[in-house]
Amino acid sequence: MLGALALLPVASRVRASVPPRVASLSWAGAQILASIGAPPMALTELDSYPKVGALPPMPSNVIELGSHSEPNLELLAQLAPDLIVIDQDQSNLEAQLQRIAPTFVIDIYDSRRGKPFARAVEETGRLAARLDRVAQARAYLDDVDRQLDARAATVATLDAPPVLVVDLYDDGRRFFVYGPNSMIHDVMTRLNIANAWRGDTDSGWVLLNVEDLASMGHAQMFYISHGARDRIALSNLSRSPLWRSLPFASQGRFHPLPGFFTYGAASCATQCADGLTQGLVAATRRGSRANG
């Protein structure tokens, strides 16, 4: 795939001899850019990017461009980038942006296509070809494959139960459960971890009530950590008699995963794989101690 993309006309690419001046209104796009050694000169919601645990880190000289939905177009015009990277859901801005610079649309999460990990790999190759950085993309994606293979090998040594990965809802009565069409589900598949949620999730997640989890009590549940925001949800959840009666709570099958950007590019896949693998290893050790 990357080889074919490398055949794009040279005129359609930013030449590698000149450092690319790329602004990104997309966090996934920024992750790709940084991963192939061409970090963006500017990014929307830059201050929030590290707070959710998104990686790779952005260099200190990256400029804040305002919100994802309402970027600072005046500042963007002053910066005069060679290329502007946007998400598919920002297509309403495209006509305005193209008056400033050519645009490149990142399209990873689409319920009709599914397979966001494969899409992230394809989009990494496509953006790399545009910037004449195909070799860097190959090296990066090869490293992603090595990391995922290593985590899969570790998981294979465990007697891992099915897993639920969730985001906590503030009211303590509901959970966002990740399933097909999410990067998390694709990572679980790659690591040979069974997803305890077997229903459809066109958008990659489904909102379930506590009582909906009763049939999945045999699973190990991980919640994606969001720092201080978790305290409200966990406090409310602890007041629920139904929750306390479920094996997740009563048998200690409920643990945090380090935060990461769940709708990102391939870097969020490696973060998710690391967190799940470490979590399952720790759960296995806890189980061994309890049984001993």
Side-chain angles (χ1 to χ4, degrees), residues 57-80:
M58 293 296 114
S60 60
N61 62 346
V62 176
I63 297 167
E64 170 68 65
L65 278 177
S67 75
H68 180 83
S69 58
E70 296 182 351
N72 188 333
L73 299 183
E74 182 178 353
L75 174 58
L76 188 60
Q78 291 172 2
L79 294 173

Side-chain angles (χ1 to χ4, degrees), residues 147-156 160 184-194 269-270 272-277 280:
Q147 291 184 57
L148 295 178
D149 287 345
R151 303 302 175 265
T154 298
V155 170
I184 292 166
H185 183 83
D186 282 4
V187 169
M188 291 170 71
T189 300
R190 178 70 181 262
L191 301 188
N192 292 313
I193 297 170
T270 55
C272 178
D274 286 348
L276 282 173
T277 303
L280 286 171

Side-chain angles (χ1 to χ4, degrees), residues 213-214 216-219 243-254:
L213 305 179
M216 295 175 276
H218 60 295
W243 168 253
R244 293 198 301 269
S245 72
L246 294 179
F248 305 112
S250 64
Q251 298 178 18
R253 298 183 188 174
F254 180 62

Side-chain angles (χ1 to χ4, degrees), residues 125-138:
R126 198 166 63 89
L127 182 52
R130 180 67 177 266
L131 299 176
D132 204 14
R133 301 185 79 82
V134 171
Q136 292 88 340
R138 278 202 190 97

